[in-house]
Structure formats: C-alpha cells, structure tokens
C-alpha cells in the first residue's frame, strides 16, 4: 500500500481561511476563463454573464509513480487505438450491425452502416485524428499494492483539457498567495506537475491542418446547441489562431445542414458563412457533439454527420475511431490474445512489454451475453447458471454489488451500478444484452476528502433566495478523484497495420473529483468538479 495516508486528506482550515480561499479561487476562475455560461434560458446569443466552473479548492493527491505510469502509458494507448480504428475487419466483427453490437444498439448501428456505405463508395481522406483521453482511478482492491486502473478510453469529445490547465494554474496561485496556510507539507510547487494541455491538444489539431495542405482553410468545431461549456472550446480556438495562424468556425449540426456542400471528386468540404462572400474550405472537423443519440435526433442530423464523414476534411474522430472508443471494444481487447494481435508488427519484446503494462490497468470485464468469462478474482465465486440465461448475465446478477454495467455511450449518466443492476437486468430485453458490458468496480482509497465549490445558479428560480444568487456553494465531503491523461495521434493505414503516422503521448491531464455518494463522474453532467494533482510519495 502507499505510505501516504489518504484518510488524512484534506488538511484542515478555519472558517475564515476557507472563506478567503473560496473568494480567491472563484474570482481567479472568473478572471481567467475557468467558467461556464449560466443555465439561463433567456441568455442572448452574445453572452453577457458567466459563472465559474465547479472546482475543488485543493488539488487531489496522486502517488508520483502512478502518475508517471499513466503518462507513460498514453503513447501505447494512442498506438493501440490507432491500430484498432484502421482494422476494418475487427470493428465489423465487434461493433457492426451484422454480427456485432450494432445488432442491439440503434445508435451504433447507424454509425456503422453509414461508415460501411462510405467505404463502398470510396474513402477520400485516409487520415484520422484522435484527441484521446485515458481515464483512471487509484485501486486498492485484490489485496495488492495501490494500483492504477483504467475506467475508459475516450476517442470523441475528450473535453475539459483547457479548463483543467486553468484549474491547475488556480491551485498554484492559491499556494503562492496563501501557502495554503501551511496546512500540509505536500502542498509545495515541486509537487504540482505542469499542465500544458491547451498547447498539447492544439498541436494535434494543427498537425492535421498541416497534413491537409491548405493553409487558408479553417478548422470546424461541431458543437451542441445551447452549449454551456464554451470556454473549454474557445481556449483551443484562441491558441490555434495566436500560435498557428489557423482560424476556427463553430457550428451545430442543424446549422451545417443548410451551409455545407461537397465539391468535386475529392469532396472538398465547403461552408458558407455570413461574413465571407465565398465559401470557406474546411481542413479538419473536431466533433464536440455527435457522441450521443440526443445529438443526432432527426434524419437531418444524420445526413449532416454522414456528409461530414464523406468529405475530404480530416475527422476528429472519424466514424471508425468513434466506434473504436466503444465499451465493447474495451471489453474485447481485455480478452486473452486480442490486444496482442494489434502489436504483431512491433519487435517481440516491445510488444510483450506494452501488452503487459496495458493489461495491468484493466479490471475484469465481460459481455452480458457471454458464455465464457475471464479469470475473475476470488471475490467473484462461481455461481449456478440461470436456465435460459447467458452466463455473463447470471454473473452480473449474482455479483451486482461489485459491478458497473456500461452501454456504448459517452458523456456521463449512462451506467448502471451495484444495487440497481438486478432490476435493470430483469427489464433488459434479451436482444439488447449484446450492447452492454459488465466491469468489476475499481476500489479507490477510502476516507479521502476535499472542499468542492459550485456556483449557485443566478437564474432567480422559484424558491431561491435572492441573496443566494451566484453565491458559491462549498462542501467538504469524502471524495473520489479520476485522472485523465490526454494524447493525440494523426494516423492512417500503412499496409493494413494502421501504424501511427504522427503521435504525441502525454500532452496534459485532467483531474475530476466527486463525492463518494455519486457513481457517475461527468463534470458537464453535474456529478464532478474540476481539480488538479498534488504528487505524493509512496
């Protein structure tokens, strides 16, 4: 186990110290764009007010060796998922509508069928761009030393990198201003790891733009309507323009329905904009929307999504790369011998080392429709099969308290946990089991806490006291923190292997913290706050 005592975190502060920290943190956040648009329906098109993003007053402790391990692994994960995304046969088998998850999941089915049609008519852009994030929790289970376990690997809309950089800077500011009132010997500058996520992610976008080869082209950000998390995107836009001279345009799917066209045999993506007399050319499409069925509710939305995919612009992600991020792919890779097939072109010792390191980060996983299960820890004893039910479903039912069920979804709020699993399985149609996986729960260190600050909405709704409008709400609760490591890859097929063309392993990181009573972890979904890291020994 780690020599650091997690149960003694956070250090204690007086009420006046906490009041001062909240004041300094929230004003810093507002002054430095660590902000959201408020949830006010009457907000005009040009925003006139903001609220600070949900934040932690203190960084979360992470053992130094495990943090470095997560950073080192990112390059391996970038390479792996580039190979997965360029293996058509594998994705057809795992995610397809004929034999894979697409049989049971309408959203996956439509993505896969659209991609299949585009393959048949001819793909005009062989390059893919991935802005990735691999998410981890610290794990204390199985009687071993404190370890690092992967929650998931994100291939679409891997958000909060820019705001994570801002909250890291905020924590350094609070230290410089107050020395955190000498509350902990761990809170010192050398234990605050650098976080340059904005430039790291932007370098990936800029490399795609450069590979496209038209300097005057724009990068298109596809965004959700009424997006509150706009500043996380704007910081990328500003860096692209200021450091690389690349311009960005933001559009929703519906806005694109009437303003885009494909030109010529190469299917150049052109976009009409009110400020230009001629259409602008798009080099790269960065999807901050399109990861959930609610993003594509009509045929018009789907038509736009597939039009973008057909174009010559480099997609971030392409449909196959989006499919590669499916939970079923994560589960399939954990099966014996599967991940090894993607590293056959590497030197054997390199492939063996990479495979071993990846497998160390995976919890046991299986499909609900599985008849053969992985080797499970002793906390998962064998159970008698229910007649007429797949073994994977029976195991999930009997061991529900140690599990989470995951569908093929991103964005938070989609999983089913512990005590809710048996009733969910009773209601789940048999034909939909294929779309779900079971994963053993990661067991983070117990007793750790933090101070979490959220802004109270200033919308003036019923039951809200006027004096509470926009007042920060601070709570000190027991918490769980989730570490995300960012990386990028620009890649295409190389004799069918999908070897990465250009990639950058660790380009920054994100820490999200939530109360232990919350199973889900999304910031935008309202479960977590943005945090940073303090490195500890042990």
């Amino acid at each position: 186990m780690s020599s650091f005592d997690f149960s003694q975190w956070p250090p204690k502060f007086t009420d006046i110290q906490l009041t001062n920290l909240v004041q300094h943190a929230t004003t810093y956040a507002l002054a430095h764009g660590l902000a959201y648009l408020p949830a006010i329906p009457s907000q005009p098109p040009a925003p006139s007010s903001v609220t600070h993003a949900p934040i932690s007053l203190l960084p979360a402790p992470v053992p130094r060796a495990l943090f470095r391990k997560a950073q080192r692994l990112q390059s391996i994960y970038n390479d792996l998922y580039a190979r997965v995304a360029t293996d058509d046969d594998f994705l057809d088998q795992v995610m397809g509508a004929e034999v894979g998850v697409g049989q049971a999941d309408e959203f996956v089915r439509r993505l896969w069928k659209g991609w299949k049609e585009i393959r048949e008519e001819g793909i005009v852009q062989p390059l893919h761009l991935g802005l990735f994030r691999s998410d981890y929790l610290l794990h204390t289970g199985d009687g071993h030393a404190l370890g690092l376990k992967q929650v998931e690997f994100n291939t679409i809309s891997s958000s909060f990198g820019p705001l994570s950089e801002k909250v890291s800077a905020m924590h350094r500011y609070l230290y410089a201003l107050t020395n955190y009132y000498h509350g902990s010997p761990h809170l010192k500058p050398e234990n605050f790891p650098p976080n340059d996520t904005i430039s790291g992610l932007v370098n990936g976008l800029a490399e795609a733009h450069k590979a496209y080869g038209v300097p005057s082209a724009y990068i298109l950000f596809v965004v959700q309507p009424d997006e509150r998390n706009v500043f996380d995107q704007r910081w990328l836009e500003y860096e692209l323009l200021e450091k690389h001279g690349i311009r960005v345009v933001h559009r929703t799917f519906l806005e694109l329905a009437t303003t885009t066209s494909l030109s010529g045999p190469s299917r150049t993506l052109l976009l009409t904009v009110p400020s230009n007399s001629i259409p602008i050319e798009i080099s790269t499409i960065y999807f901050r929307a399109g990861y959930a069925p609610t993003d594509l509710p009509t045929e018009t939305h789907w038509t736009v999504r597939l039009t973008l995919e057909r174009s010559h612009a480099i997609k971030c992600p392409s449909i196959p790369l989006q499919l590669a991020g499916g939970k079923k792919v994560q589960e399939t890779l954990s099966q014996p011998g599967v991940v090894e097939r993607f590293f056959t072109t590497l030197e054997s010792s390199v492939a063996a080392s990479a495979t071993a390191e990846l497998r160390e980060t995976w919890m046991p996983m299986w499909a609900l429709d599985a008849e053969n299960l992985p080797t499970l820890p002793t906390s998962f004893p064998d159970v008698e099969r229910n007649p007429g039910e797949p073994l994977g479903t029976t195991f999930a039912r009997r061991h529900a308290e140690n599990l989470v069920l995951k569908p093929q979804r991103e964005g938070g709020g989609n999983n089913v946990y512990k005590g809710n699993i048996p009733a969910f399985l009773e209601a789940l149609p048999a034909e939909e089991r294929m779309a779900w996986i079971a994963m053993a729960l990661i067991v983070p260190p117990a007793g750790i806490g933090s101070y979490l600050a959220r802004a109270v909405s200033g919308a003036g709704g019923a039951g809200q006291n006027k004096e509470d409008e926009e007042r920060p709400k601070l709570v000190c609760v027991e918490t769980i923190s989730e570490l995300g490591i960012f990386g990028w890859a620009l890649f295409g097929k190389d004799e069918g292997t999908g070897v990465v063309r250009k990639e950058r392993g660790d380009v920054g990181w994100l820490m999200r913290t939530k109360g232990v009573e919350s199973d889900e972890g999304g910031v935008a979904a309202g479960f977590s706050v943005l945090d940073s890291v303090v490195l500890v020994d042990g």
Side-chain angles (χ1 to χ4, degrees):
M1 297 295 290
S2 170
S3 59
F4 178 80
D5 188 351
F6 286 92
S7 67
Q8 297 303 306
W9 195 265
K12 302 299 185 289
F13 299 108
T14 66
D15 288 345
I16 189 62
Q17 287 173 335
L18 284 175
T19 297
N20 287 338
L21 286 173
V22 170
Q23 176 74 7
H24 295 312
T26 55
T27 52
Y28 182 97
L30 292 170
H32 291 80
L34 179 52
Y36 273 12
L37 293 183
I40 302 176
S42 59
Q43 182 90 331
S48 58
S49 62
V50 297
T51 184
H52 72 81
I55 51 178
S56 171
L57 292 187
L58 286 173
V62 178
R64 195 180 310 271
L66 295 181
F67 184 80
R68 302 304 183 206
K69 178 180 181 179
Q71 291 180 308
R72 186 180 69 253
L73 284 173
Q74 191 61 35
S75 187
I76 304 174
Y77 270 116
N78 292 348
D79 191 11
L80 173 62
Y81 275 85
R83 293 168 185 268
V84 170
T86 49
D87 191 325
D88 296 353
D89 292 339
F90 177 80
L91 287 176
D92 287 345
Q93 185 71 26
V94 175
M95 300 296 283
E98 295 170 358
V99 295
V101 168
Q103 298 177 85
D105 187 302
E106 172 66 16
F107 183 68
V108 171
R109 177 163 58 248
R110 295 210 62 171
L111 282 173
W112 181 84
K113 283 189 170 182
W115 174 46
K116 185 172 184 289
E117 291 172 3
I118 295 169
R119 281 187 284 168
E120 291 170 350
E121 68 186 36
I123 292 174
V124 296
Q125 179 51 262
L127 293 178
H128 314 245
L129 175 65
L131 297 186
F132 301 133
R133 194 186 73 228
S134 187
D135 293 335
Y136 303 93
L137 291 173
L138 300 178
H139 180 58
T140 63
D142 308 327
H144 301 299
L146 187 70
L148 191 74
K149 295 296 183 180
Q150 187 184 60
V151 177
E152 62 185 357
F153 191 85
N154 301 276
T155 64
I156 183 169
S157 189
S158 303
S159 58
F160 287 111
L163 293 194
S164 176
E165 180 175 325
K166 298 298 180 182
V167 79
S168 299
M170 182 199 75
H171 284 150
R172 292 190 192 95
Y173 159 76
L174 291 177
Y175 171 83
L177 183 69
T178 69
N179 197 24
Y180 277 111
Y181 305 108
H182 304 278
S184 168
H186 301 285
L187 291 168
K188 51 188 177 181
E190 57 265 39
N191 290 337
F192 299 154
N195 191 348
D196 301 314
T197 308
I198 296 174
S199 63
L201 294 175
V202 162
N203 285 340
L205 290 165
E207 284 290 344
H209 179 85
K210 179 181 177 181
Y212 183 84
V214 179
S216 62
Y218 284 60
I219 291 179
L220 168 65
F221 284 21
V222 182
V223 300
Q224 295 173 327
D226 302 318
E227 173 69 74
R228 295 183 61 205
N229 187 26
V230 298
F231 301 101
D232 192 58
Q233 300 166 22
R234 292 292 181 181
W235 285 116
L236 299 176
E237 175 189 349
Y238 303 151
E239 182 88 0
L240 280 164
L241 184 60
E242 294 167 8
K243 300 296 177 59
H244 300 273
I246 301 171
R247 292 168 292 184
V248 169
V249 60
H250 302 247
R251 292 292 185 274
T252 66
F253 281 111
L254 281 184
E255 288 170 337
L256 292 169
T258 56
T259 57
T260 54
S261 61
L262 302 183
S263 176
S266 66
R267 302 181 208 150
T268 301
L269 181 61
L270 300 178
L271 173 65
T272 59
V273 296
S275 57
N276 283 44
S277 58
I278 59 174
I280 61 174
E281 184 171 351
I282 300 300
S283 71
T284 306
I285 306 168
Y286 175 40
F287 287 99
R288 291 294 292 252
Y291 53 81
T294 51
D295 286 339
L296 302 170
T298 70
E299 289 302 316
T300 298
H301 290 78
W302 277 104
T303 298
V304 171
R305 176 64 184 91
L306 297 181
T307 296
L308 298 178
E309 191 71 22
R310 286 187 173 93
S311 77
H312 186 57
I314 297 172
K315 274 71 68 176
C316 178
S318 61
I319 287 178
L321 186 52
Q322 181 174 350
L323 292 173
K327 304 303 183 291
K328 180 60 179 177
V329 169
Q330 183 184 13
E331 181 268 324
T332 302
L333 289 172
S334 73
Q335 295 173 14
V338 176
V339 72
E340 288 81 354
R341 62 169 281 188
F342 289 103
F343 291 142
T344 55
T345 60
L346 299 179
E347 195 273 324
S348 59
S349 62
V350 174
S353 175
T355 299
E357 285 206 285
L358 294 182
R359 289 194 177 279
E360 281 182 0
T361 68
W362 294 339
M363 295 297 288
M365 290 174 272
W366 65 86
L368 289 185
D369 63 337
E371 294 295 350
N372 297 303
L373 299 184
T375 301
L376 298 173
T378 55
S379 57
F380 290 81
D382 288 340
V383 297
E384 184 176 347
R385 178 194 302 268
N386 288 343
E389 182 176 76
L391 187 59
T393 299
T394 301
F395 253 75
R397 190 189 309 277
R398 303 292 175 83
H399 296 298
E401 288 299 324
N402 295 314
L403 295 177
V404 53
L405 303 185
K406 297 184 175 184
Q408 313 305 307
R409 294 290 179 270
E410 304 297 335
N414 301 299
N415 299 335
V416 182
Y417 291 84
K418 297 184 287 192
N420 294 325
I421 289 176
F424 173 80
L425 292 176
E426 287 297 326
L428 182 68
E431 62 272 17
E432 294 182 17
R433 289 173 183 150
M434 181 183 289
W436 290 79
I437 70 163
M439 177 177 167
L441 284 171
I442 303 170
V443 184
I448 188 170
S450 191
Y451 301 96
L452 313 182
R454 293 182 176 90
V456 176
S457 173
Q464 180 177 320
N465 297 325
K466 186 171 182 59
E467 60 268 22
D468 286 338
E469 292 183 10
E470 300 295 350
R471 178 177 297 173
K473 180 181 179 182
L474 180 70
V475 295
C476 183
V477 294
E478 187 176 352
T479 56
I480 296 171
S481 295
E482 184 172 324
L483 174 67
I485 303 294
F486 290 98
W488 64 262
L490 178 67
F491 60 94
K493 289 187 178 181
D494 180 5
E495 298 180 355
T497 65
V499 174
V500 170
R501 171 175 171 168
K502 288 186 178 181
E503 72 91 20
R504 183 67 196 282
D506 155 44
V507 299
W509 47 269
L510 161 71
M511 182 64 90
R512 291 168 295 176
T513 293
K514 63 182 181 181
V516 293
E517 75 285 350
S518 174
D519 290 316
E520 294 288 356
V523 176
F527 302 106
S528 298
V529 306
L530 295 170
D531 206 341
S532 75
V533 170
V534 56
L535 299 177
V536 297
D537 294 320

